[in-house]
Amino acid sequence: MLQLIKKMSVSLLMTVSILGHAMEAEPQFQIEKISQLQGIPWGMAQLNADTLLVTILDGQLLKVDMLTGETVELSGLPKIARFGQGGLLDVAISPDFKDTGWVYFTYAHPTTSDEATTALARAKLLDNALVEWTDLVIADASSSKGQHFGSRIAFDGQGHVFFSVGDRGKRANAQDLSNHAGSILRVNMDGTVPADNPYVRHGQIRPEIWSFGHRNPQGLYFDQKTQRLWSNEHGPRGGDEINLIRVGANYGWPIVSYGKEYWAPIQVGESTSKEGVEEPKKVFIPSIAPSSLLIYRGDLFKEWNGDFLSTALALRHLNNVKLKSGKVYETRFLEDLKERLRDVIEASDGSLLISTDSGQILQLFPAHY
């Protein structure tokens, strides 16, 4: 269906929190509504200058024309478990796509009639169909619970792919390295285990694990400029985090958390910190519910270069975090949209593409663009 593109100059209230002190300003943005979709557009990847691939949580993959808003549904997906937070999750274009044609996906893979786990797969595009679908890693994280599948994808450009798996609603999983739940996994592009993974020679530990102690990482980004991997993840009631991911590191869940129990204002775990556990670079209290992550490296928003950008579900905004000289600066944009923002990616022209749980695909430019 042909969609109309709406362009408007929008004045949106910005709330700035610098080390706990709030200020207000009135930034100007230009927003284009690229398309209105049915369902939740969970993941996006720019195929070329004018085309997006968009995953719909319910289990559809769409090709979206960014000029007209027209959508085409692609065939060739496998059976996808759609329950709770599970469904068709992330999509990412391989760094060597021009040579190989591979597109990578994460999704809820059914393991029994009432259980599912997170899986990493890849396929190629042939016209409007997926071909050569291959499940690369079916995580050992099967559960009948509908929570915490993760799962975002990141490439290091050196022949490896990372993807995140939540604890699947079973807290103890995140400290149990005999399964994949509550971990960020690293594999070669074909799904095999790299020889330099931290636990590859430990017989009782899953060799794909790169880091562990995660609750539900729904943002994952490898910064090519600094060669660092970052994630953000959902805490319980408070305690969302941005983490610098270090090889073999423990991020503490559920032993360490800044969050509270849902049933009472009681600390989750032993404390907010512990020896041997990595400290988050940023903690959100109350929870914003971060659902994606990128480090902006484009030219359009020059003042954002090197900043973290994340979509927020619960508090419904685009979150900006600067780490500078040991200080943390947080800025919240697009609150006046009152939308649950699901995913944000940097487009090839430096603009931002944002999806919302109401099915909108938006493109954000500076007001002067």
Side-chain angles (χ1 to χ4, degrees), residues 40-43 55-61 77-91 105-110 116-120 133 145-151 168 218 342:
I40 297 173
W42 208 94
T55 60
I56 302 298
L57 187 62
D58 283 343
Q60 297 86 44
L61 177 65
L77 287 170
K79 185 177 180 180
I80 294 170
R82 176 67 183 102
F83 68 94
Q85 297 167 2
L88 182 57
L89 303 173
D90 207 13
V91 55
F105 301 88
T106 51
Y107 73 103
H109 176 87
T117 187
T118 303
L120 174 74
W133 181 278
K145 293 180 178 289
Q147 304 102 304
H148 305 173
F149 286 86
S151 171
R168 299 296 286 107
Q218 285 193 344
R342 177 62 61 172

Coordinates of all heavy atoms in Angstrom, one line a residue, residues 40-43 55-61 77-91 105-110 116-120 133 145-151 168 218 342:
I40 N 4.3 -4.3 15.3 CA 5.5 -3.6 15.9 C 6.7 -3.8 15.1 O 7.2 -4.9 14.9 CB 5.7 -4.2 17.3 CG1 4.5 -3.9 18.3 CG2 7.0 -3.6 18.0 CD1 4.6 -4.6 19.6
P41 N 7.3 -2.7 14.5 CA 8.5 -2.8 13.7 C 9.7 -2.9 14.7 O 10.2 -1.9 15.1 CB 8.5 -1.6 12.9 CG 7.6 -0.6 13.6 CD 6.7 -1.4 14.5
W42 N 10.2 -4.2 14.9 CA 11.1 -4.4 16.0 C 12.6 -4.1 15.6 O 13.3 -3.5 16.4 CB 11.0 -5.9 16.4 CG 11.4 -6.2 17.8 CD1 10.6 -6.2 18.9 CD2 12.8 -6.4 18.3 NE1 11.3 -6.5 20.1 CE2 12.7 -6.6 19.7 CE3 14.0 -6.5 17.7 CZ2 13.8 -6.9 20.5 CZ3 15.1 -6.7 18.5 CH2 15.0 -6.9 19.9
G43 N 12.9 -4.4 14.4 CA 14.3 -4.2 13.9 C 14.3 -3.6 12.5 O 13.4 -3.8 11.7
T55 N 11.7 -5.8 10.4 CA 11.1 -7.0 11.0 C 9.8 -6.6 11.8 O 9.9 -5.6 12.5 CB 12.0 -7.7 11.9 OG1 12.4 -6.8 13.0 CG2 13.3 -8.2 11.2
I56 N 8.8 -7.3 11.6 CA 7.6 -7.1 12.4 C 7.5 -8.3 13.4 O 7.7 -9.4 13.1 CB 6.3 -7.2 11.5 CG1 6.4 -6.1 10.4 CG2 5.1 -7.0 12.4 CD1 6.5 -4.7 11.0
L57 N 7.3 -7.9 14.7 CA 7.4 -8.8 15.8 C 6.5 -10.1 15.6 O 6.9 -11.2 15.9 CB 7.1 -8.2 17.1 CG 7.3 -9.0 18.4 CD1 8.8 -9.4 18.6 CD2 6.8 -8.2 19.6
D58 N 5.4 -9.8 15.0 CA 4.4 -10.9 14.8 C 5.0 -12.0 13.8 O 4.4 -13.1 13.7 CB 3.1 -10.4 14.3 CG 2.3 -9.8 15.4 OD1 2.6 -10.1 16.6 OD2 1.3 -9.1 15.1
G59 N 6.0 -11.7 13.0 CA 6.6 -12.7 12.2 C 6.6 -12.3 10.7 O 6.6 -13.3 9.9
Q60 N 6.7 -11.1 10.4 CA 6.7 -10.7 8.9 C 8.0 -9.9 8.7 O 8.5 -9.2 9.6 CB 5.6 -9.8 8.5 CG 4.2 -10.5 8.6 CD 3.6 -10.4 10.0 OE1 3.6 -9.3 10.6 NE2 3.0 -11.5 10.4
L61 N 8.6 -10.0 7.5 CA 9.7 -9.2 7.1 C 9.3 -8.4 5.9 O 8.7 -8.9 4.9 CB 10.9 -10.1 6.7 CG 12.1 -9.4 6.1 CD1 12.8 -8.5 7.2 CD2 13.1 -10.4 5.6
L77 N 10.6 -17.0 5.5 CA 10.9 -17.0 6.9 C 10.6 -18.4 7.4 O 9.7 -19.1 7.0 CB 10.1 -16.0 7.7 CG 10.5 -14.5 7.5 CD1 9.5 -13.6 8.2 CD2 11.9 -14.3 8.2
P78 N 11.3 -18.8 8.5 CA 11.0 -20.1 9.1 C 9.8 -20.0 10.1 O 9.2 -18.9 10.2 CB 12.3 -20.4 9.9 CG 12.7 -19.1 10.4 CD 12.4 -18.1 9.2
K79 N 9.5 -21.1 10.7 CA 8.5 -21.0 11.8 C 9.0 -20.2 13.0 O 10.1 -20.4 13.4 CB 8.1 -22.4 12.3 CG 6.9 -22.4 13.3 CD 6.5 -23.8 13.7 CE 5.4 -23.8 14.7 NZ 4.9 -25.1 15.1
I80 N 8.2 -19.2 13.4 CA 8.6 -18.3 14.4 C 7.7 -18.4 15.6 O 6.5 -18.4 15.4 CB 8.7 -16.8 13.9 CG1 9.8 -16.7 12.8 CG2 8.9 -15.8 15.0 CD1 9.8 -15.4 12.1
A81 N 8.2 -18.5 16.8 CA 7.4 -18.5 18.0 C 7.0 -17.1 18.4 O 7.9 -16.3 18.7 CB 8.2 -19.2 19.2
R82 N 5.7 -16.9 18.4 CA 5.2 -15.5 18.8 C 4.5 -15.6 20.1 O 3.3 -15.9 20.1 CB 4.4 -14.9 17.6 CG 3.8 -13.6 18.0 CD 4.9 -12.5 18.1 NE 4.3 -11.2 18.5 CZ 4.4 -10.7 19.8 NH1 5.0 -11.4 20.7 NH2 3.9 -9.6 20.1
F83 N 5.1 -15.3 21.2 CA 4.5 -15.2 22.4 C 5.3 -14.4 23.3 O 6.5 -14.3 23.2 CB 4.1 -16.6 23.1 CG 5.3 -17.4 23.5 CD1 5.8 -17.3 24.8 CD2 6.0 -18.2 22.6 CE1 6.9 -18.1 25.3 CE2 7.1 -19.0 23.1 CZ 7.5 -18.9 24.4
G84 N 4.6 -13.6 24.3 CA 5.3 -12.7 25.1 C 6.2 -11.7 24.4 O 5.6 -11.1 23.4
Q85 N 7.4 -11.6 24.7 CA 8.3 -10.7 24.0 C 9.0 -11.3 22.8 O 9.9 -10.7 22.2 CB 9.4 -10.2 25.0 CG 8.8 -9.4 26.1 CD 9.8 -9.2 27.3 OE1 10.9 -9.5 27.2 NE2 9.3 -8.5 28.3
G86 N 8.7 -12.6 22.5 CA 9.3 -13.3 21.4 C 8.6 -13.1 20.1 O 7.4 -12.9 20.0
G87 N 9.4 -13.3 19.0 CA 8.9 -13.1 17.7 C 10.0 -13.0 16.7 O 11.1 -13.4 17.0
L88 N 9.8 -12.3 15.6 CA 10.9 -12.0 14.7 C 11.5 -10.7 15.3 O 10.9 -9.7 15.4 CB 10.4 -11.7 13.3 CG 11.4 -11.4 12.2 CD1 12.5 -12.5 12.1 CD2 10.8 -11.2 10.9
L89 N 12.8 -10.8 15.6 CA 13.5 -9.7 16.4 C 14.4 -8.9 15.4 O 13.9 -8.1 14.7 CB 14.3 -10.4 17.5 CG 13.4 -11.2 18.5 CD1 14.2 -12.0 19.5 CD2 12.3 -10.4 19.1
D90 N 15.7 -9.0 15.5 CA 16.5 -8.0 14.8 C 16.9 -8.5 13.4 O 16.7 -9.7 13.0 CB 17.8 -7.9 15.6 CG 18.5 -6.5 15.4 OD1 17.8 -5.6 14.8 OD2 19.6 -6.3 15.8
V91 N 17.3 -7.5 12.6 CA 17.8 -7.7 11.3 C 19.0 -6.9 11.1 O 19.1 -5.7 11.5 CB 16.7 -7.4 10.2 CG1 16.2 -6.0 10.3 CG2 17.2 -7.7 8.8
F105 N 19.6 -12.4 11.1 CA 18.4 -12.2 11.9 C 18.5 -12.9 13.3 O 19.3 -13.8 13.4 CB 17.2 -12.9 11.2 CG 16.9 -12.4 9.8 CD1 17.6 -13.0 8.7 CD2 16.0 -11.4 9.6 CE1 17.3 -12.5 7.4 CE2 15.7 -10.9 8.3 CZ 16.4 -11.5 7.2
T106 N 17.8 -12.3 14.2 CA 17.5 -13.1 15.5 C 16.0 -13.2 15.6 O 15.2 -12.3 15.2 CB 18.1 -12.4 16.7 OG1 17.7 -11.0 16.7 CG2 19.6 -12.5 16.7
Y107 N 15.6 -14.3 16.2 CA 14.2 -14.6 16.3 C 13.9 -15.6 17.4 O 14.8 -16.3 17.9 CB 13.6 -15.1 14.9 CG 14.0 -16.5 14.6 CD1 13.0 -17.5 14.7 CD2 15.2 -16.8 14.0 CE1 13.4 -18.8 14.3 CE2 15.5 -18.1 13.7 CZ 14.6 -19.1 13.8 OH 14.9 -20.4 13.5
A108 N 12.7 -15.7 17.8 CA 12.2 -16.7 18.8 C 12.0 -18.0 18.1 O 11.1 -18.2 17.3 CB 11.0 -16.3 19.5
H109 N 12.9 -19.0 18.3 CA 12.9 -20.3 17.7 C 12.1 -21.3 18.5 O 12.5 -21.5 19.7 CB 14.3 -20.8 17.5 CG 14.4 -22.1 16.9 ND1 14.5 -22.3 15.5 CD2 14.5 -23.4 17.5 CE1 14.6 -23.6 15.3 NE2 14.6 -24.3 16.4
P110 N 11.0 -21.9 18.0 CA 10.3 -22.8 18.8 C 11.1 -24.1 19.0 O 11.7 -24.7 18.1 CB 9.0 -23.1 17.9 CG 9.4 -22.8 16.5 CD 10.5 -21.7 16.6
A116 N 10.4 -21.8 23.6 CA 11.2 -21.2 22.6 C 12.5 -20.7 23.1 O 12.6 -20.5 24.3 CB 10.4 -20.1 21.9
T117 N 13.4 -20.4 22.2 CA 14.7 -19.8 22.6 C 15.1 -18.8 21.5 O 14.4 -18.6 20.5 CB 15.8 -20.9 22.7 OG1 17.0 -20.3 23.2 CG2 16.1 -21.5 21.3
T118 N 16.1 -18.0 21.8 CA 16.6 -17.1 20.8 C 17.6 -17.8 19.8 O 18.4 -18.6 20.2 CB 17.4 -15.9 21.5 OG1 16.5 -15.3 22.5 CG2 17.8 -14.9 20.5
A119 N 17.4 -17.4 18.6 CA 18.3 -18.0 17.5 C 18.9 -16.9 16.7 O 18.2 -15.9 16.4 CB 17.5 -19.0 16.7
L120 N 20.1 -17.2 16.2 CA 20.7 -16.3 15.2 C 20.7 -17.1 13.9 O 21.1 -18.3 13.8 CB 22.2 -16.0 15.6 CG 23.0 -15.3 14.6 CD1 22.6 -13.8 14.5 CD2 24.5 -15.4 14.9
W133 N 18.1 -19.9 3.9 CA 18.0 -19.7 5.3 C 18.8 -20.7 6.1 O 18.6 -21.9 5.9 CB 16.5 -19.7 5.7 CG 16.3 -19.4 7.2 CD1 16.5 -20.3 8.3 CD2 16.0 -18.1 7.8 NE1 16.2 -19.6 9.4 CE2 15.9 -18.3 9.2 CE3 15.7 -16.9 7.3 CZ2 15.6 -17.3 10.1 CZ3 15.4 -15.8 8.1 CH2 15.4 -16.0 9.5
K145 N 8.6 -19.4 29.3 CA 8.3 -18.0 29.7 C 8.4 -17.1 28.5 O 9.2 -17.4 27.6 CB 9.3 -17.6 30.8 CG 9.1 -18.3 32.1 CD 10.2 -17.8 33.1 CE 9.9 -18.5 34.5 NZ 8.7 -18.0 35.2
G146 N 7.7 -16.0 28.5 CA 7.7 -15.1 27.4 C 8.6 -14.0 27.5 O 8.7 -13.1 26.6
Q147 N 9.4 -13.9 28.6 CA 10.3 -12.8 28.8 C 11.7 -13.0 28.3 O 12.2 -14.1 28.2 CB 10.4 -12.5 30.3 CG 9.1 -12.3 31.0 CD 8.7 -13.5 31.8 OE1 8.6 -14.6 31.3 NE2 8.5 -13.3 33.1
H148 N 12.3 -11.8 28.0 CA 13.7 -11.7 27.9 C 14.4 -12.6 26.8 O 15.3 -13.3 27.1 CB 14.4 -11.9 29.3 CG 13.8 -11.0 30.3 ND1 14.1 -11.2 31.7 CD2 12.9 -10.0 30.3 CE1 13.5 -10.2 32.4 NE2 12.7 -9.5 31.5
F149 N 14.0 -12.4 25.6 CA 14.7 -13.1 24.5 C 16.0 -12.3 24.0 O 16.8 -12.8 23.3 CB 13.8 -13.2 23.3 CG 12.7 -14.2 23.4 CD1 11.5 -13.9 24.1 CD2 12.8 -15.5 22.9 CE1 10.5 -14.9 24.2 CE2 11.8 -16.5 23.1 CZ 10.7 -16.2 23.7
G150 N 16.2 -11.1 24.5 CA 17.1 -10.2 23.8 C 16.3 -9.5 22.7 O 15.2 -9.2 22.9
S151 N 16.9 -9.3 21.5 CA 18.2 -9.7 21.0 C 18.6 -8.9 19.9 O 17.8 -8.8 18.9 CB 18.1 -11.2 20.6 OG 19.2 -11.6 19.9
R168 N 15.7 -15.1 29.9 CA 14.5 -15.9 29.6 C 13.6 -16.0 30.8 O 12.9 -17.0 31.0 CB 14.9 -17.3 29.1 CG 15.7 -17.2 27.8 CD 14.8 -16.6 26.6 NE 13.8 -17.6 26.2 CZ 12.5 -17.5 26.4 NH1 12.0 -16.4 27.1 NH2 11.7 -18.4 26.0
Q218 N 18.7 -5.4 25.0 CA 18.0 -5.2 23.8 C 18.7 -4.1 22.9 O 18.1 -3.6 21.9 CB 16.5 -4.8 24.0 CG 15.7 -6.0 24.4 CD 14.2 -5.8 24.4 OE1 13.8 -4.6 24.3 NE2 13.5 -6.8 24.4
R342 N 10.9 2.0 19.5 CA 11.4 0.6 19.5 C 12.8 0.5 19.0 O 13.6 -0.3 19.6 CB 10.5 -0.2 18.7 CG 10.9 -1.7 18.6 CD 10.9 -2.4 19.9 NE 9.6 -2.5 20.6 CZ 9.4 -3.2 21.7 NH1 10.4 -3.9 22.2 NH2 8.2 -3.2 22.3

